[in-house]
Amino acid sequence: MRKKISHIDGVNLDTSHYDHYAGFGDFHRIQNGVNVYGLKNTLDYILNYLSFMNPVRHDVSFYEPFELIGLNITLLKLPIPA
């Protein structure tokens, strides 16, 4: 918001940790209906909280490329260190 960005093409929500999406709710003052990309379970959880933004949901899967702003993106499943 400080940078006066008026439009976001899309957002990749890669984890449901609160600190990764907490400020996203403030974004509704600039834009509703933003395209959001993520795993089904992640989007189920986060978009329940952010439903007031009327996001355009795009479920993606690990290892299946998708396009966002002209870039091919592939989600990789990484091991969690013990």
Side-chain angles (χ1 to χ4, degrees):
M1 291 169 56
R2 286 187 206 121
K3 299 291 184 183
K4 308 293 185 211
I5 296 171
S6 62
H7 179 79
I8 299 294
D9 294 313
V11 175
N12 179 35
L13 298 171
D14 61 356
T15 181
S16 58
H17 296 163
Y18 185 73
D19 61 324
H20 288 242
Y21 68 88
F24 193 66
D26 293 331
F27 180 65
H28 77 279
R29 291 182 272 169
I30 298 170
Q31 179 181 339
N32 279 320
V34 67
N35 290 300
V36 293
Y37 298 79
L39 299 171
K40 181 186 181 323
N41 290 345
T42 302
L43 293 183
D44 286 348
Y45 183 82
I46 295 173
L47 297 183
N48 182 52
Y49 170 74
L50 297 174
S51 62
F52 64 93
M53 294 178 64
N54 301 313
V56 178
R57 180 183 179 135
H58 301 273
D59 289 8
V60 297
S61 299
F62 286 121
Y63 310 110
E64 293 182 17
F66 63 97
E67 186 177 320
L68 177 57
I69 63 166
L71 299 172
N72 286 318
I73 299 171
T74 303
L75 299 183
L76 303 176
K77 191 169 189 174
L78 301 175
I80 299 173

